[in-house]
């Protein structure tokens, strides 16, 4: 996906500041070295495997996912073989692109010990409370749900396109139609999140999906009016 570098964007303006690329590179290098000094994700899971349930977090060994919101990267890291050994399970936890998050942040003298590290997706890591009280962190984590978060993003995208209740019903029909899925083929790109400190799957953004569905619905309406000889309405 091509990212705009227009001088009107905040990111582009930052790039114009003298020394920004150098500072960015130094920061990325420091973050990489910092991550290498932490225990592995397998070690973190092995430490927490029996402790999570005591804190009311439900995480299955064979289904690696974010410990807070439950995001699982499309279940691609799930272990389906019933005879898989513990070593294979730990290897899978090492492979999934979760981040090692400090429960008590380093800025508040939090340690790099296993007891202070939690496995979270990139988005949860960005949203976590930074406090010296672990229970605040855990209480927040128990409330997270990636599906509800995605629903909220869809609602935000709909508000951005000013979709009213009547249009929402029609849009739902469009989103579920095979004709729309065929029409949108070749008209969208997958967005790669701009966090540079951990890999995450590219995705179809809610704004892309809602915007295309709305455009398709309006095009369909215009075509129908043209076939009846009625003037196309303005949007």
């Amino acid at each position: 996906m091509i990212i705009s570098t227009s001088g009107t964007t905040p990111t582009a303006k930052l790039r114009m500041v003298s020394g920004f690329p150098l500072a960015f590179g130094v920061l990325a290098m420091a973050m990489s070295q910092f991550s290498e000094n932490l225990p592995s994700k397998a070690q973190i899971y092995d430490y927490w495997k029996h402790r999570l349930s005591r804190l009311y977090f439900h995480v299955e060994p064979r289904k690696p996912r974010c410990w807070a919101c439950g995001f699982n990267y499309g279940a691609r890291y799930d272990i389906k073989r019933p005879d898989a050994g513990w070593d294979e399970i730990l290897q899978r936890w090492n492979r999934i692109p979760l981040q090692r998050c400090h429960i008590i942040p380093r800025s508040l003298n939090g340690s790099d010990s296993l007891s202070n590290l939690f496995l979270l997706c990139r988005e949860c890591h960005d949203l976590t409370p930074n406090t010296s009280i672990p229970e605040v962190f855990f209480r927040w984590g128990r409330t997270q749900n990636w599906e509800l978060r995605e629903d909220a993003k869809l609602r935000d995208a709909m508000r951005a396109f000013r979709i009213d209740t009547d249009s929402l019903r029609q849009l739902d029909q469009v989103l579920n139609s095979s004709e729309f899925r065929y029409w949108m083929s070749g008209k969208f790109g997958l967005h790669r999140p701009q966090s540079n400190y951990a890999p995450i799957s590219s995705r179809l953004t809610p704004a892309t999906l809602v915007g295309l569905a709305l455009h398709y619905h309006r095009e369909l309406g215009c075509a129908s009016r043209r076939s009846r000889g009625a003037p196309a309405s303005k949007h």
Side-chain angles (χ1 to χ4, degrees):
M1 185 176 183
I2 298 175
I3 307 298
S4 172
T5 56
S6 168
T8 60
T9 65
T11 303
K13 289 178 182 177
L14 276 173
R15 290 196 189 102
M16 296 169 65
V17 177
S18 176
F20 174 72
L22 178 60
F24 186 82
V26 170
L27 177 61
M29 185 181 300
M31 294 179 77
S32 174
Q33 293 171 347
F34 164 66
S35 296
E36 290 172 1
N37 292 331
L38 294 176
S40 70
K41 286 175 281 190
Q43 289 174 316
I44 295 169
Y45 176 74
D46 198 38
Y47 172 84
W48 280 98
K49 61 181 183 291
H50 297 309
R51 294 174 169 87
L52 287 169
S53 59
R54 300 173 199 164
L55 294 168
Y56 304 102
F57 288 92
H58 179 66
V59 178
E60 297 182 39
R62 295 171 178 271
K63 295 182 177 181
R65 60 203 60 224
C66 173
W67 292 358
C69 74
F71 183 66
N72 63 356
Y73 298 87
R76 72 187 64 177
Y77 296 96
D78 287 5
I79 298 175
K80 299 176 175 62
R81 289 178 42 244
D83 60 339
W86 189 245
D87 286 345
E88 184 177 346
I89 290 173
L90 290 181
Q91 287 174 13
R92 197 63 61 91
W93 277 99
N94 251 346
R95 285 176 52 200
I96 188 168
L98 294 173
Q99 297 184 355
R100 292 161 288 184
C101 174
H102 287 77
I103 298 168
I104 299 176
R106 299 186 89 205
S107 61
L108 294 173
N109 298 317
S111 72
D112 294 341
S113 63
L114 293 167
S115 62
N116 193 47
L117 294 169
F118 225 61
L119 298 181
L120 301 177
C121 67
R122 174 193 60 83
E123 189 164 5
C124 278
H125 196 173
D126 285 342
L127 295 172
T128 52
N130 287 309
T131 171
S132 60
I133 305 173
E135 181 51 34
V136 173
F137 178 96
F138 296 134
R139 188 180 297 121
W140 174 88
R142 286 190 291 266
T143 67
Q144 301 308 299
N145 183 303
W146 75 269
E147 291 176 319
L148 293 179
R149 193 181 288 164
E150 289 302 304
D151 287 346
K153 291 174 184 174
L154 277 171
R155 288 195 296 271
D156 285 343
M158 290 174 181
R159 279 194 292 269
F161 285 105
R162 298 180 180 178
I163 296 173
D164 57 28
T165 304
D166 291 336
S167 298
L168 182 58
R169 296 192 191 96
Q170 297 167 344
L171 210 61
D172 185 57
Q173 295 176 352
V174 169
L175 289 170
N176 290 310
S177 71
S178 57
E179 292 84 1
F180 169 66
R181 289 193 290 272
Y182 177 80
W183 174 87
M184 71 182 290
S185 177
K187 294 180 175 67
F188 68 91
L190 297 180
H191 175 72
R192 183 174 182 176
Q194 299 307 294
S195 169
N196 72 316
Y197 57 90
I200 187 171
S201 301
S202 297
R203 56 168 296 172
L204 178 66
T205 65
T208 302
L209 184 61
V210 172
L212 285 175
L214 184 62
H215 186 79
Y216 173 83
H217 174 64
R218 288 176 174 173
E219 270 201 355
L220 198 64
C222 287
S224 176
R225 284 188 291 273
R226 283 195 297 269
S227 69
R228 299 194 306 266
S233 61
K234 294 181 180 180
H235 297 282

